[in-house]
Amino acid sequence: DAPGQLRACTADSPTMDLAKVLASQRVIVCVGSGGVGKTTTSAALAVRAASEGRRVLCLTIDPAKRLAQSLGLSQLHGAEQQVSPELFARYGLPLAGSLSAMMLDMKRTFDDLVERHASSKAQRQRILANRLYQYVSTSLAGTQEYMAMEKLHAVRRDPRFDLIVLDTPPTTNALDFLEAPQKLVGAIDSPVMRWFVDTLQAAPGLGLMGRGAAFVLKGLGRFTGAEFLHQVGEFVAELNELFGGFRERAQAVYEDLKGPDVAFVIITSPAPGTVAEAIFFTRKLREYGITPRAMVVNRVHSATLPNAPNVTEAELAEELARYWPEGRAQDVLSRMLRAAHDADVLAQRDQQGLERLRKSVGQDLPYVEVPAFERDVHDLGALSRLSHYLA
């Protein structure tokens, strides 16, 4: 294969499959481990879909500053911003639809939930001022992942957009995106928390409780303070009232991911570690009842000079001697051969990674290979170039 050429491993063209996903789905969820180009790939897919006529919202999680700049925005924040049509025109790109982008603001998303569902102004103020809520909404593990799905739950019903591209949170283990919301719910709505609620609501004074309950709460109170225990009980009780049961709310949000209008695209690279993550994550998705729609493999190195004539080192040295002094020509040749060898080693490693990926995941999943670019993706033109490889 020539450098940059896409290789299909299915009977149908994988690029065509991903193009159909862009044209037909309501939501595309880009998943994968950190550092594989997931955010950039999400943006490139959004650019492509907007160029072809869809009204797109690209929802990213903590993107690099250069991504915002590549879209002509000074920075991304918690409200959607439209990418200027003039920017598309500047790069000679079509824009039959529209493109908006926004960054997930974890606390703002949680605050919006409270404000939207609170039964009264007093309840809203109690929750927002609660010490445990302030911790959960900013720092508790799993909150960012859960809020990403909450935000998706809200914007997928927004009639202004035909397509939402979700860049999932960067994680060391891609499975965290699926498991963290359940872990968050378990931490907030656990049997222990419900016991706090039932006990504190039934008998606000410790003296009226059963001896066992009073003993436990008094012991905990020495470490946390009785006021904090009451805030725990108040927080869980308020959330259960607010959402009709926090566990049920989270389950409804999670079920959104299994909808027929949602397509999962796994982003990886051919490096051994990320290939292992992609294989594991693909299997777990299927266990959750979710079928991935495509696999994007970024930064694939191709063998150098695939159609080069078969020449000897002596012939190469003779040719170089026409342009360099004799001693210098030999040095240049040695460096060139070493660079070519290193590139071939990378290409062989990548090919082994791709073969392992296909063997483990299966041939029925469309693969799209994106070559290792000479430069980082830093402007709309580069995003468009990447999008051509993707779709």
Side-chain angles (χ1 to χ4, degrees):
D1 294 325
Q5 181 175 329
L6 296 180
R7 283 172 268 178
C9 67
T10 60
D12 298 323
S13 165
T15 53
M16 202 50 151
D17 287 356
L18 196 45
K20 288 178 179 178
V21 168
L22 279 176
S24 62
Q25 297 300 112
R26 171 71 171 159
V27 178
I28 295 177
V29 182
C30 294
V31 294
S33 53
V36 295
K38 188 171 50 186
T39 299
T40 303
T41 301
S42 302
L45 289 171
V47 167
R48 182 73 174 192
S51 295
E52 295 179 342
R54 306 205 72 187
R55 297 172 298 165
V56 185
L57 173 65
C58 184
L59 177 58
T60 69
I61 313 296
D62 192 24
K65 184 177 180 180
R66 69 174 182 271
L67 177 61
Q69 293 174 339
S70 71
L71 296 174
L73 305 171
S74 59
Q75 63 179 0
L76 293 176
H77 47 71
E80 66 265 15
Q81 303 173 74
Q82 186 167 3
V83 178
S84 168
E86 287 75 19
L87 185 63
F88 278 78
R90 188 186 310 163
Y91 285 92
L93 303 175
L95 182 62
S98 64
L99 174 59
S100 298
M102 66 182 297
M103 181 181 72
L104 177 71
D105 184 331
M106 182 171 66
K107 189 174 189 313
R108 180 69 258 172
T109 302
F110 215 146
D111 290 351
D112 286 345
L113 276 173
V114 172
E115 292 173 1
R116 188 162 60 247
H117 294 284
S119 59
S120 66
K121 183 178 180 180
Q123 184 190 48
R124 179 170 65 247
Q125 291 175 341
R126 282 196 306 270
I127 294 176
L128 295 177
N130 186 283
R131 286 168 55 194
L132 185 60
Y133 171 78
Q134 292 168 8
Y135 168 73
V136 167
S137 62
T138 56
S139 304
L140 186 63
T143 301
Q144 186 182 52
E145 286 81 357
Y146 178 75
M147 285 304 114
M149 292 205 290
E150 276 284 0
K151 193 66 179 179
L152 177 62
H153 185 71
V155 299
R156 70 179 299 191
R157 290 162 176 78
D158 193 325
R160 295 175 298 161
F161 304 112
D162 302 319
L163 173 67
I164 296 97
V165 180
L166 174 65
D167 165 39
T168 56
T171 58
T172 54
N173 183 344
L175 190 63
D176 289 347
F177 175 66
L178 290 176
E179 291 188 342
Q182 282 75 20
K183 291 179 180 177
L184 175 66
V185 171
I188 294 175
D189 191 26
S190 66
V192 173
M193 289 294 192
R194 288 196 295 274
W195 179 81
F196 276 142
V197 175
D198 294 342
T199 303
L200 291 171
Q201 285 185 336
L206 292 178
L208 298 178
M209 296 180 185
R211 291 182 180 179
F215 176 80
V216 170
L217 287 182
K218 282 180 179 179
L220 287 174
R222 294 191 186 100
F223 296 100
T224 64
E227 179 187 352
F228 180 71
L229 291 181
H230 281 280
Q231 292 215 8
V232 170
E234 180 184 82
F235 171 65
V236 178
E238 296 277 17
L239 279 190
N240 281 332
E241 178 186 340
L242 192 69
F243 298 143
F246 195 60
R247 186 178 297 277
E248 289 75 15
R249 169 75 181 187
Q251 186 62 31
V253 172
Y254 176 70
E255 288 299 324
D256 273 358
L257 296 178
K258 296 183 180 181
D261 60 346
V262 178
F264 277 74
V265 176
I266 300 173
I267 318 295
T268 187
S269 78
T274 55
V275 164
E277 285 264 354
I279 292 169
F280 177 65
F281 194 41
T282 303
R283 290 173 178 169
K284 296 305 290 186
L285 275 176
R286 289 169 174 167
E287 288 177 12
Y288 277 93
I290 297 171
T291 302
R293 295 294 297 274
M295 178 83 69
V296 174
V297 188
N298 281 325
R299 303 168 190 154
V300 178
H301 295 84
S302 298
T304 56
L305 303 176
N307 300 313
N310 187 18
V311 296
T312 66
E313 288 189 28
E315 291 172 316
L316 287 172
E318 181 181 352
E319 180 68 18
L320 283 172
R322 297 172 55 190
Y323 306 97
W324 298 89
E326 184 175 349
R328 179 66 172 151
Q330 188 60 46
D331 176 60
V332 170
L333 176 59
S334 297
R335 290 164 59 190
M336 290 171 64
L337 291 173
R338 187 163 58 249
H341 171 74
D342 291 346
D344 284 338
V345 169
L346 275 177
Q348 291 172 20
R349 183 210 67 175
D350 288 357
Q351 189 58 38
Q352 290 172 354
L354 290 166
E355 290 173 359
R356 179 188 174 199
L357 194 61
R358 293 167 180 155
K359 182 178 179 180
S360 300
V361 172
Q363 298 291 328
D364 58 331
L365 182 65
Y367 296 84
V368 179
E369 297 174 23
V370 179
F373 290 169
E374 300 84 7
R375 297 182 180 88
D376 286 340
V377 176
H378 63 278
D379 57 32
L380 192 63
L383 283 174
S384 178
R385 178 189 176 201
L386 173 58
S387 78
H388 283 289
Y389 288 102
L390 295 170

